[in-house]
Amino acid sequence: MNFSIEQLQAFDAAAHTGSFSAAARRLGKAQSVISTAVANLEADLGVSLFDRSGRYPALTAEGKRLLLDARHIIEACANLQALSGEIAAGVEHRLTLAVDDTSHLPWLEPILGVFAERFPNVELELLFPLLDDQIAMLLSGRAQIGIGYEQTNAHKDIETRSIGMVRAPLFVAADHPLAAKKRVGRADLIKHRQIVITSRGGAPHHFDVLIASKVWRVEGDLAILELVKRGHGWAMLPEFLAEGPLGAGEIFRLQPDFIPELPVMRMEVLWHRPHAQGKAGIWLRDALIRRAAERN
């Protein structure tokens, strides 16, 4: 038995896409290469992985069972390759950090201050994409590290670590009509404009819970906060962003009587596993994870 990682990848891609031609497109290879790799793997293992009697290849019972182990091996190889790349990498000259919205800067800045002292010659680029825009940047290599909220349909090559939990209460301007109520019901909120966050790609957001019939969609929590402060509507906002304006009396926290628990989302640091991090990226990634551990 002498199978290769390329054979396992061809097997996995064919099983995932449902055909050898689609697997070839996914892996950027000729269909004959995929078909030959799978056939050689079957010969090496001594079992038939696909039933080829129909129009499309279908996994056999043996293929279904072996696919799980094949994927574990592919995952382990990817981890080994990423780890070895990081160990071999030196200090990169440039690092791009993609942060889900500028509203995270107040708590992030102290970490960046330490980063500046440890890596004074590294050119740091800060970008502020949202949701699917951020993932696209990580996958393409445009950004090396991301900070954002938990992904509902995470890409298999995106590695994540939790860096804390965020609640999103409901807020309005201090002089908004809703601020006069001790508790608000769904019928109260429906009557007033709701301001929700959006991304350029249009993906659903973690705090995108539509209640009102009149809606404004805004790119960025800071912009939403400013519109809320000026009385244009109510919105769900991260607690860390609302603390200052709430303490200054600029906004009011609503108490809904129909939501048993406020929306809570996990914040994560994200990176694309196949792209090796340099020493500066590894330090920044670990510093974000340590911050979360120290706060818990």
Side-chain angles (χ1 to χ4, degrees), residues 21-44:
S21 58
R25 290 191 296 271
R26 179 187 177 104
L27 297 178
K29 299 180 181 298
Q31 179 177 341
S32 59
V33 173
I34 300 300
S35 301
T36 300
V38 173
N40 289 340
L41 179 60
E42 289 175 318
D44 288 336

